[in-house]
Amino acid sequence: MPGHCTNKNCFVDEGESCARGHLNPTECECWSKKKAGSSEDKEQSYTAARVPWSGSTLGMADLSSLLPRGRSMLIGVLGAHDAGKTTLLTGCYQNLLAGHPMANAQFAGSRTLGAWESLAAFTRFDDPAKGPTFPPHTPRGTNRVPGLMHVALRGTNEELRDVLMTDAPGEWFSSWAIDEKNDLSQGARWVVGNSDAFLIFADCERLSAPGRGRGHARSEIRQLIERVANHVNDRPTTLVWAKSDVTPPEKIKESVKKALYKNIPHATEIETTINDIETLKAALESVIFPCWLPSRMNQLVEPIVKAQPFEAYRGDRG
């Protein structure tokens, strides 16, 4: 999408939604087809507030109106190009839309309904002339922040959680796994630095490909796991065996598992397939459950510093 926005209060060309609410930013009167900094460009400034109800994916500026209302969690969805990341997110949205719970909580709204529906439209069978298909590849860009998909979930005790999920192109993570300081990796760095939990995608179809293809896919997922391990600490992490209706050779799978548990010992793994939507739901739940309630702080224990009962609990300050 060549061009840029001339509204200095809008950051749509950095991956955020249009400040004036256009789903397609090229339809906005502030959009310019010229390169940023062109001498013919006149910068514009609009005093109108941003519109959080546009339904597009959220950006940093949109979070300021969403996050103060309660607890939230950001799920980093990592994996190579065409690994099934967007398909999993769309499948979980469809499941919520059908009235099914997610992590024992009910769907309670979304700020990105337009973005969800634009993806879900590809999967629906509502046109006999054009059957359902997979959601399109997330466009590659050099943005500093990915588009964020949002759902609000309400638990059995009426507690509300805002769940944000990254929808980033796989090329970001392939580039970041090779060189994390690369300029093209800034979006991946943001995802890994800010997420509360991670889903790492291993593409079973690519890992089963004939010839050198599966060897390259194995190296790529191992490289990504090792890179994530440098930053994950104790954050919940799940390896998703996507497209598991295709079974990779056992040696390939064992090699990936070995890399996973060597570098991220607390990680879990799960197999998913579009033929069973419950598997897609289970993958997302595996990282939502641990984030639902923040871990408790360690209890403070006052040390016993003297044997006399009167002074036993006076602490080390006398």
Side-chain angles (χ1 to χ4, degrees):
M1 187 170 60
H4 72 289
C5 183
T6 58
N7 182 355
K8 68 178 183 180
N9 296 322
C10 179
F11 308 98
V12 66
D13 40 354
E14 296 182 7
E16 300 190 4
S17 56
C18 173
R20 295 170 65 82
H22 290 274
L23 293 176
N24 183 354
T26 59
E27 296 174 357
C28 180
E29 63 187 57
C30 301
W31 186 258
S32 170
K33 294 181 180 179
K34 300 183 177 66
K35 291 183 178 179
S38 168
S39 57
E40 300 174 24
D41 241 358
K42 292 182 179 179
E43 192 177 66
Q44 302 176 49
S45 174
Y46 291 83
T47 55
R50 294 176 61 81
V51 285
W53 56 87
S54 70
S56 304
T57 54
L58 301 179
M60 290 295 290
D62 302 305
L63 298 183
S64 59
S65 65
L66 174 68
L67 299 186
R69 72 174 182 173
R71 287 179 176 166
S72 62
M73 62 185 83
L74 175 62
I75 310 299
V77 185
L78 285 61
H81 161 65
D82 198 30
K85 304 184 295 299
T86 305
T87 299
L88 182 139
L89 297 180
T90 307
C92 290
Y93 167 72
Q94 297 269 40
N95 200 45
L96 283 170
L97 209 59
H100 300 294
M102 171 69 69
N104 296 333
Q106 295 292 335
F107 179 71
S110 172
R111 292 279 181 93
T112 56
L113 279 176
W116 283 122
E117 283 298 312
S118 66
L119 293 175
F122 289 93
T123 67
R124 293 188 178 125
F125 189 78
D126 52 6
D127 183 356
K130 187 181 68 174
T133 183
F134 293 104
H137 170 230
T138 304
R140 181 178 183 175
T142 57
N143 303 330
R144 56 185 172 84
V145 178
L148 301 176
M149 308 297 282
H150 167 254
V151 293
L153 298 176
R154 191 174 294 282
T156 51
N157 295 324
E158 294 298 312
E159 69 273 26
L160 186 72
R161 296 289 183 273
D162 286 306
V163 182
L164 297 157
M165 294 149 279
T166 62
D167 184 26
E171 290 86 350
W172 282 11
F173 303 107
S174 299
S175 174
W176 176 73
I178 296 170
D179 180 5
E180 63 179 327
K181 296 181 180 178
N182 191 322
D183 288 343
L184 297 176
S185 308
Q186 57 181 339
R189 290 198 297 272
W190 187 93
V191 172
V192 175
N194 291 281
S195 295
D196 297 300
F198 299 101
L199 292 174
I200 304 175
F201 278 67
D203 186 344
C204 290
E205 192 173 77
R206 288 189 63 209
L207 290 169
S208 308
R212 296 181 178 178
R214 61 188 177 198
H216 178 71
R218 177 185 59 183
S219 300
E220 200 171 45
I221 185 63
R222 284 175 57 98
Q223 209 166 22
L224 179 59
I225 290 170
E226 290 167 2
R227 183 68 74 191
V228 173
N230 294 334
H231 304 273
V232 72
N233 297 323
D234 58 352
R235 287 179 282 182
T237 304
T238 296
L239 178 70
V240 179
W241 295 99
K243 311 174 191 176
S244 66
D245 42 326
V246 181
T247 305
E250 197 58 33
K251 285 186 178 179
I252 295 274
K253 204 166 180 178
E254 284 302 318
S255 171
V256 175
K257 285 185 177 183
K258 186 177 179 181
L260 177 68
Y261 293 116
K262 178 184 176 183
N263 294 282
I264 313 176
H266 67 276
T268 58
E269 53 181 311
I270 193 167
E271 295 186 352
T272 65
T273 170
I274 58 167
N275 296 322
D276 183 358
I277 201 165
E278 287 296 319
T279 62
L280 307 182
K281 173 187 168 186
L284 190 55
E285 286 181 334
S286 71
V287 288
I288 290 180
F289 274 127
C291 295
W292 191 267
L293 290 176
S295 57
R296 293 179 179 275
M297 300 290 289
N298 293 330
Q299 186 177 2
L300 293 175
V301 179
E302 191 73 22
I304 299 175
V305 296
K306 291 186 180 180
Q308 288 82 359
F310 179 72
E311 298 179 323
Y313 295 100
R314 295 190 65 180
D316 55 359
R317 296 181 181 82

